[in-house]
PDB file of all heavy atoms in Angstrom:
ATOM      1  N   ALA J  14     -15.301   1.054   3.426  1.00 98.00           N
ATOM      2  CA  ALA J  14     -15.022   0.662   2.042  1.00 98.00           C
ATOM      3  C   ALA J  14     -13.562   0.898   1.664  1.00 98.00           C
ATOM      4  O   ALA J  14     -12.940   0.060   0.979  1.00 98.00           O
ATOM      5  CB  ALA J  14     -15.932   1.434   1.089  1.00 98.00           C
ATOM      6  N   ILE J  15     -12.985   1.984   2.147  1.00 98.00           N
ATOM      7  CA  ILE J  15     -11.573   2.263   1.867  1.00 98.00           C
ATOM      8  C   ILE J  15     -10.687   1.204   2.522  1.00 98.00           C
ATOM      9  O   ILE J  15      -9.713   0.746   1.918  1.00 98.00           O
ATOM     10  CB  ILE J  15     -11.187   3.687   2.357  1.00 98.00           C
ATOM     11  CG1 ILE J  15     -11.930   4.737   1.502  1.00 98.00           C
ATOM     12  CG2 ILE J  15      -9.679   3.910   2.261  1.00 98.00           C
ATOM     13  CD1 ILE J  15     -11.775   6.155   2.022  1.00 98.00           C
ATOM     14  N   ILE J  16     -11.022   0.804   3.746  1.00 98.00           N
ATOM     15  CA  ILE J  16     -10.228  -0.220   4.425  1.00 98.00           C
ATOM     16  C   ILE J  16     -10.384  -1.580   3.747  1.00 98.00           C
ATOM     17  O   ILE J  16      -9.406  -2.253   3.419  1.00 98.00           O
ATOM     18  CB  ILE J  16     -10.656  -0.313   5.915  1.00 98.00           C
ATOM     19  CG1 ILE J  16     -10.318   0.994   6.654  1.00 98.00           C
ATOM     20  CG2 ILE J  16      -9.946  -1.490   6.603  1.00 98.00           C
ATOM     21  CD1 ILE J  16     -10.920   1.091   8.032  1.00 98.00           C
ATOM     22  N   ALA J  17     -11.636  -1.984   3.516  1.00 97.00           N
ATOM     23  CA  ALA J  17     -11.884  -3.310   2.919  1.00 97.00           C
ATOM     24  C   ALA J  17     -11.445  -3.367   1.460  1.00 97.00           C
ATOM     25  O   ALA J  17     -11.091  -4.441   0.962  1.00 97.00           O
ATOM     26  CB  ALA J  17     -13.360  -3.658   3.033  1.00 97.00           C
ATOM     27  N   GLY J  18     -11.427  -2.235   0.789  1.00 97.00           N
ATOM     28  CA  GLY J  18     -11.119  -2.200  -0.641  1.00 97.00           C
ATOM     29  C   GLY J  18      -9.666  -1.925  -0.970  1.00 97.00           C
ATOM     30  O   GLY J  18      -9.367  -1.500  -2.088  1.00 97.00           O
ATOM     31  N   ASN J  19      -8.775  -2.173  -0.006  1.00 97.00           N
ATOM     32  CA  ASN J  19      -7.340  -1.989  -0.251  1.00 97.00           C
ATOM     33  C   ASN J  19      -6.544  -3.036   0.494  1.00 97.00           C
ATOM     34  O   ASN J  19      -6.994  -3.526   1.544  1.00 97.00           O
ATOM     35  CB  ASN J  19      -6.918  -0.594   0.216  1.00 97.00           C
ATOM     36  CG  ASN J  19      -7.293   0.507  -0.772  1.00 97.00           C
ATOM     37  OD1 ASN J  19      -6.657   0.658  -1.813  1.00 97.00           O
ATOM     38  ND2 ASN J  19      -8.331   1.244  -0.431  1.00 97.00           N
ATOM     39  N   PRO J  20      -5.364  -3.387  -0.030  1.00 96.00           N
ATOM     40  CA  PRO J  20      -4.496  -4.306   0.735  1.00 96.00           C
ATOM     41  C   PRO J  20      -4.067  -3.642   2.022  1.00 96.00           C
ATOM     42  O   PRO J  20      -4.027  -2.408   2.138  1.00 96.00           O
ATOM     43  CB  PRO J  20      -3.322  -4.545  -0.216  1.00 96.00           C
ATOM     44  CG  PRO J  20      -3.309  -3.395  -1.138  1.00 96.00           C
ATOM     45  CD  PRO J  20      -4.747  -2.966  -1.298  1.00 96.00           C
ATOM     46  N   ARG J  21      -3.705  -4.441   2.993  1.00 95.00           N
ATOM     47  CA  ARG J  21      -3.437  -3.944   4.336  1.00 95.00           C
ATOM     48  C   ARG J  21      -2.380  -2.825   4.329  1.00 95.00           C
ATOM     49  O   ARG J  21      -2.525  -1.841   5.041  1.00 95.00           O
ATOM     50  CB  ARG J  21      -2.955  -5.112   5.203  1.00 95.00           C
ATOM     51  CG  ARG J  21      -2.744  -4.718   6.658  1.00 95.00           C
ATOM     52  CD  ARG J  21      -2.431  -5.933   7.496  1.00 95.00           C
ATOM     53  NE  ARG J  21      -2.274  -5.583   8.893  1.00 95.00           N
ATOM     54  CZ  ARG J  21      -2.036  -6.457   9.861  1.00 95.00           C
ATOM     55  NH1 ARG J  21      -1.920  -7.730   9.572  1.00 95.00           N
ATOM     56  NH2 ARG J  21      -1.909  -6.040  11.109  1.00 95.00           N
ATOM     57  N   GLU J  22      -1.344  -2.986   3.515  1.00 96.00           N
ATOM     58  CA  GLU J  22      -0.251  -2.017   3.549  1.00 96.00           C
ATOM     59  C   GLU J  22      -0.623  -0.668   2.954  1.00 96.00           C
ATOM     60  O   GLU J  22       0.097   0.326   3.112  1.00 96.00           O
ATOM     61  CB  GLU J  22       0.983  -2.588   2.836  1.00 96.00           C
ATOM     62  CG  GLU J  22       0.808  -2.800   1.336  1.00 96.00           C
ATOM     63  CD  GLU J  22       0.188  -4.150   0.988  1.00 96.00           C
ATOM     64  OE1 GLU J  22      -0.314  -4.825   1.921  1.00 96.00           O
ATOM     65  OE2 GLU J  22       0.204  -4.507  -0.208  1.00 96.00           O
ATOM     66  N   LYS J  23      -1.773  -0.580   2.270  1.00 97.00           N
ATOM     67  CA  LYS J  23      -2.168   0.678   1.631  1.00 97.00           C
ATOM     68  C   LYS J  23      -3.365   1.348   2.295  1.00 97.00           C
ATOM     69  O   LYS J  23      -3.770   2.438   1.893  1.00 97.00           O
ATOM     70  CB  LYS J  23      -2.469   0.441   0.167  1.00 97.00           C
ATOM     71  CG  LYS J  23      -1.250   0.129  -0.686  1.00 97.00           C
ATOM     72  CD  LYS J  23      -1.598   0.101  -2.172  1.00 97.00           C
ATOM     73  CE  LYS J  23      -0.346  -0.129  -3.011  1.00 97.00           C
ATOM     74  NZ  LYS J  23      -0.688  -0.140  -4.474  1.00 97.00           N
ATOM     75  N   ARG J  24      -3.946   0.719   3.293  1.00 97.00           N
ATOM     76  CA  ARG J  24      -5.198   1.239   3.857  1.00 97.00           C
ATOM     77  C   ARG J  24      -5.048   2.588   4.504  1.00 97.00           C
ATOM     78  O   ARG J  24      -5.859   3.500   4.263  1.00 97.00           O
ATOM     79  CB  ARG J  24      -5.770   0.210   4.836  1.00 97.00           C
ATOM     80  CG  ARG J  24      -6.262  -1.050   4.166  1.00 97.00           C
ATOM     81  CD  ARG J  24      -6.619  -2.103   5.173  1.00 97.00           C
ATOM     82  NE  ARG J  24      -6.943  -3.377   4.528  1.00 97.00           N
ATOM     83  CZ  ARG J  24      -7.023  -4.536   5.163  1.00 97.00           C
ATOM     84  NH1 ARG J  24      -6.800  -4.602   6.450  1.00 97.00           N
ATOM     85  NH2 ARG J  24      -7.325  -5.623   4.485  1.00 97.00           N
ATOM     86  N   VAL J  25      -4.066   2.735   5.380  1.00 98.00           N
ATOM     87  CA  VAL J  25      -3.884   4.013   6.066  1.00 98.00           C
ATOM     88  C   VAL J  25      -3.533   5.100   5.054  1.00 98.00           C
ATOM     89  O   VAL J  25      -4.023   6.250   5.149  1.00 98.00           O
ATOM     90  CB  VAL J  25      -2.799   3.890   7.160  1.00 98.00           C
ATOM     91  CG1 VAL J  25      -2.483   5.273   7.741  1.00 98.00           C
ATOM     92  CG2 VAL J  25      -3.251   2.946   8.259  1.00 98.00           C
ATOM     93  N   GLU J  26      -2.712   4.762   4.080  1.00 98.00           N
ATOM     94  CA  GLU J  26      -2.350   5.722   3.018  1.00 98.00           C
ATOM     95  C   GLU J  26      -3.577   6.223   2.293  1.00 98.00           C
ATOM     96  O   GLU J  26      -3.728   7.431   2.024  1.00 98.00           O
ATOM     97  CB  GLU J  26      -1.396   5.031   2.041  1.00 98.00           C
ATOM     98  CG  GLU J  26      -1.092   5.826   0.790  1.00 98.00           C
ATOM     99  CD  GLU J  26      -0.386   4.991  -0.259  1.00 98.00           C
ATOM    100  OE1 GLU J  26       0.353   4.039   0.124  1.00 98.00           O
ATOM    101  OE2 GLU J  26      -0.570   5.259  -1.460  1.00 98.00           O
ATOM    102  N   LYS J  27      -4.503   5.326   1.948  1.00 98.00           N
ATOM    103  CA  LYS J  27      -5.708   5.704   1.225  1.00 98.00           C
ATOM    104  C   LYS J  27      -6.665   6.496   2.135  1.00 98.00           C
ATOM    105  O   LYS J  27      -7.342   7.427   1.669  1.00 98.00           O
ATOM    106  CB  LYS J  27      -6.424   4.470   0.672  1.00 98.00           C
ATOM    107  CG  LYS J  27      -5.638   3.727  -0.393  1.00 98.00           C
ATOM    108  CD  LYS J  27      -5.412   4.598  -1.633  1.00 98.00           C
ATOM    109  CE  LYS J  27      -4.693   3.838  -2.728  1.00 98.00           C
ATOM    110  NZ  LYS J  27      -4.473   4.667  -3.946  1.00 98.00           N
ATOM    111  N   LEU J  28      -6.731   6.143   3.411  1.00 98.00           N
ATOM    112  CA  LEU J  28      -7.542   6.915   4.338  1.00 98.00           C
ATOM    113  C   LEU J  28      -6.996   8.346   4.454  1.00 98.00           C
ATOM    114  O   LEU J  28      -7.767   9.327   4.435  1.00 98.00           O
ATOM    115  CB  LEU J  28      -7.547   6.251   5.712  1.00 98.00           C
ATOM    116  CG  LEU J  28      -8.409   5.008   5.872  1.00 98.00           C
ATOM    117  CD1 LEU J  28      -8.101   4.311   7.192  1.00 98.00           C
ATOM    118  CD2 LEU J  28      -9.910   5.331   5.786  1.00 98.00           C
ATOM    119  N   LYS J  29      -5.692   8.479   4.535  1.00 97.00           N
ATOM    120  CA  LYS J  29      -5.080   9.801   4.599  1.00 97.00           C
ATOM    121  C   LYS J  29      -5.356  10.590   3.330  1.00 97.00           C
ATOM    122  O   LYS J  29      -5.640  11.807   3.374  1.00 97.00           O
ATOM    123  CB  LYS J  29      -3.575   9.691   4.850  1.00 97.00           C
ATOM    124  CG  LYS J  29      -3.201   9.289   6.259  1.00 97.00           C
ATOM    125  CD  LYS J  29      -1.697   9.259   6.445  1.00 97.00           C
ATOM    126  CE  LYS J  29      -1.330   8.908   7.882  1.00 97.00           C
ATOM    127  NZ  LYS J  29       0.129   8.838   8.078  1.00 97.00           N
ATOM    128  N   GLU J  30      -5.292   9.900   2.205  1.00 98.00           N
ATOM    129  CA  GLU J  30      -5.559  10.579   0.919  1.00 98.00           C
ATOM    130  C   GLU J  30      -6.974  11.128   0.891  1.00 98.00           C
ATOM    131  O   GLU J  30      -7.218  12.254   0.468  1.00 98.00           O
ATOM    132  CB  GLU J  30      -5.322   9.599  -0.231  1.00 98.00           C
ATOM    133  CG  GLU J  30      -5.450  10.270  -1.605  1.00 98.00           C
ATOM    134  CD  GLU J  30      -5.114   9.294  -2.739  1.00 98.00           C
ATOM    135  OE1 GLU J  30      -4.472   8.245  -2.474  1.00 98.00           O
ATOM    136  OE2 GLU J  30      -5.470   9.609  -3.897  1.00 98.00           O
ATOM    137  N   PHE J  31      -7.919  10.308   1.355  1.00 98.00           N
ATOM    138  CA  PHE J  31      -9.325  10.760   1.379  1.00 98.00           C
ATOM    139  C   PHE J  31      -9.510  11.952   2.300  1.00 98.00           C
ATOM    140  O   PHE J  31     -10.085  12.972   1.910  1.00 98.00           O
ATOM    141  CB  PHE J  31     -10.243   9.606   1.793  1.00 98.00           C
ATOM    142  CG  PHE J  31     -11.677  10.045   1.994  1.00 98.00           C
ATOM    143  CD1 PHE J  31     -12.510  10.263   0.909  1.00 98.00           C
ATOM    144  CD2 PHE J  31     -12.200  10.274   3.271  1.00 98.00           C
ATOM    145  CE1 PHE J  31     -13.838  10.667   1.083  1.00 98.00           C
ATOM    146  CE2 PHE J  31     -13.511  10.669   3.471  1.00 98.00           C
ATOM    147  CZ  PHE J  31     -14.327  10.879   2.360  1.00 98.00           C
ATOM    148  N   TRP J  32      -9.022  11.826   3.532  1.00 97.00           N
ATOM    149  CA  TRP J  32      -9.290  12.888   4.502  1.00 97.00           C
ATOM    150  C   TRP J  32      -8.481  14.162   4.216  1.00 97.00           C
ATOM    151  O   TRP J  32      -8.965  15.271   4.498  1.00 97.00           O
ATOM    152  CB  TRP J  32      -9.030  12.352   5.924  1.00 97.00           C
ATOM    153  CG  TRP J  32     -10.165  11.479   6.347  1.00 97.00           C
ATOM    154  CD1 TRP J  32     -10.207  10.113   6.376  1.00 97.00           C
ATOM    155  CD2 TRP J  32     -11.475  11.932   6.718  1.00 97.00           C
ATOM    156  NE1 TRP J  32     -11.438   9.691   6.760  1.00 97.00           N
ATOM    157  CE2 TRP J  32     -12.232  10.768   6.978  1.00 97.00           C
ATOM    158  CE3 TRP J  32     -12.054  13.178   6.899  1.00 97.00           C
ATOM    159  CZ2 TRP J  32     -13.578  10.852   7.378  1.00 97.00           C
ATOM    160  CZ3 TRP J  32     -13.387  13.249   7.273  1.00 97.00           C
ATOM    161  CH2 TRP J  32     -14.133  12.104   7.519  1.00 97.00           C
ATOM    162  N   ASN J  33      -7.310  14.035   3.647  1.00 95.00           N
ATOM    163  CA  ASN J  33      -6.578  15.232   3.214  1.00 95.00           C
ATOM    164  C   ASN J  33      -7.308  15.916   2.067  1.00 95.00           C
ATOM    165  O   ASN J  33      -7.352  17.149   1.982  1.00 95.00           O
ATOM    166  CB  ASN J  33      -5.162  14.866   2.795  1.00 95.00           C
ATOM    167  CG  ASN J  33      -4.247  14.640   3.975  1.00 95.00           C
ATOM    168  OD1 ASN J  33      -4.414  15.248   5.032  1.00 95.00           O
ATOM    169  ND2 ASN J  33      -3.270  13.763   3.818  1.00 95.00           N
ATOM    170  N   MET J  34      -7.921  15.128   1.190  1.00 95.00           N
ATOM    171  CA  MET J  34      -8.637  15.697   0.058  1.00 95.00           C
ATOM    172  C   MET J  34      -9.876  16.463   0.508  1.00 95.00           C
ATOM    173  O   MET J  34     -10.117  17.610   0.111  1.00 95.00           O
ATOM    174  CB  MET J  34      -9.042  14.620  -0.914  1.00 95.00           C
ATOM    175  CG  MET J  34      -9.859  15.122  -2.102  1.00 95.00           C
ATOM    176  SD  MET J  34     -10.438  13.757  -3.138  1.00 95.00           S
ATOM    177  CE  MET J  34     -11.473  12.877  -1.956  1.00 95.00           C
ATOM    178  N   VAL J  35     -10.697  15.841   1.382  1.00 95.00           N
ATOM    179  CA  VAL J  35     -11.950  16.489   1.759  1.00 95.00           C
ATOM    180  C   VAL J  35     -11.741  17.689   2.667  1.00 95.00           C
ATOM    181  O   VAL J  35     -12.654  18.494   2.844  1.00 95.00           O
ATOM    182  CB  VAL J  35     -12.935  15.478   2.428  1.00 95.00           C
ATOM    183  CG1 VAL J  35     -13.309  14.376   1.460  1.00 95.00           C
ATOM    184  CG2 VAL J  35     -12.359  14.918   3.721  1.00 95.00           C
ATOM    185  N   SER J  36     -10.545  17.815   3.221  1.00 91.00           N
ATOM    186  CA  SER J  36     -10.249  19.000   4.043  1.00 91.00           C
ATOM    187  C   SER J  36      -9.318  19.975   3.337  1.00 91.00           C
ATOM    188  O   SER J  36      -8.907  20.985   3.916  1.00 91.00           O
ATOM    189  CB  SER J  36      -9.617  18.591   5.380  1.00 91.00           C
ATOM    190  OG  SER J  36      -8.392  17.926   5.195  1.00 91.00           O
ATOM    191  N   SER J  37      -8.994  19.698   2.060  1.00 81.00           N
ATOM    192  CA  SER J  37      -7.977  20.477   1.359  1.00 81.00           C
ATOM    193  C   SER J  37      -8.429  21.854   0.943  1.00 81.00           C
ATOM    194  O   SER J  37      -7.620  22.777   0.864  1.00 81.00           O
ATOM    195  CB  SER J  37      -7.488  19.706   0.123  1.00 81.00           C
ATOM    196  OG  SER J  37      -8.553  19.577  -0.809  1.00 81.00           O
ATOM    197  N   ALA J  38      -9.719  22.026   0.667  1.00 69.00           N
ATOM    198  CA  ALA J  38     -10.177  23.307   0.159  1.00 69.00           C
ATOM    199  C   ALA J  38     -10.885  24.138   1.215  1.00 69.00           C
ATOM    200  O   ALA J  38     -11.563  25.096   0.913  1.00 69.00           O
ATOM    201  CB  ALA J  38     -11.106  23.117  -1.022  1.00 69.00           C
ATOM    202  N   SER J  39     -10.731  23.727   2.484  1.00 60.00           N
ATOM    203  CA  SER J  39     -11.324  24.523   3.543  1.00 60.00           C
ATOM    204  C   SER J  39     -10.767  25.942   3.462  1.00 60.00           C
ATOM    205  O   SER J  39      -9.544  26.137   3.471  1.00 60.00           O
ATOM    206  CB  SER J  39     -10.967  23.931   4.923  1.00 60.00           C
ATOM    207  OG  SER J  39     -11.331  24.827   5.941  1.00 60.00           O
ATOM    208  N   PRO J  40     -11.634  26.928   3.354  1.00 48.00           N
ATOM    209  CA  PRO J  40     -11.141  28.299   3.245  1.00 48.00           C
ATOM    210  C   PRO J  40     -10.402  28.781   4.481  1.00 48.00           C
ATOM    211  O   PRO J  40      -9.809  29.859   4.482  1.00 48.00           O
ATOM    212  CB  PRO J  40     -12.430  29.107   3.060  1.00 48.00           C
ATOM    213  CG  PRO J  40     -13.449  28.124   2.607  1.00 48.00           C
ATOM    214  CD  PRO J  40     -13.062  26.844   3.273  1.00 48.00           C
ATOM    215  N   MET J  41     -10.417  27.983   5.540  1.00 52.00           N
ATOM    216  CA  MET J  41      -9.744  28.400   6.775  1.00 52.00           C
ATOM    217  C   MET J  41      -8.883  27.267   7.293  1.00 52.00           C
ATOM    218  O   MET J  41      -9.212  26.589   8.257  1.00 52.00           O
ATOM    219  CB  MET J  41     -10.783  28.813   7.840  1.00 52.00           C
ATOM    220  CG  MET J  41     -11.657  29.976   7.404  1.00 52.00           C
ATOM    221  SD  MET J  41     -12.804  30.471   8.696  1.00 52.00           S
ATOM    222  CE  MET J  41     -11.698  31.146   9.905  1.00 52.00           C
TER     223      MET J  41
END
């Protein structure tokens, strides 16, 4: 959904934003 729901030039940026967010509060 992140890939299909963004223009080509923003897809990797949005994927990074998602994965950085879900791993941001890891206590370790």
Side-chain angles (χ1 to χ4, degrees):
I15 294 172
I16 295 169
N19 282 285
R21 184 174 183 178
E22 66 274 11
K23 290 188 176 180
R24 291 171 186 166
V25 173
E26 171 192 330
K27 295 297 183 180
L28 286 169
K29 287 182 177 179
E30 186 175 343
F31 173 77
W32 284 101
N33 283 329
M34 177 185 62
V35 297
S36 63
S37 64
S39 169
M41 301 182 68

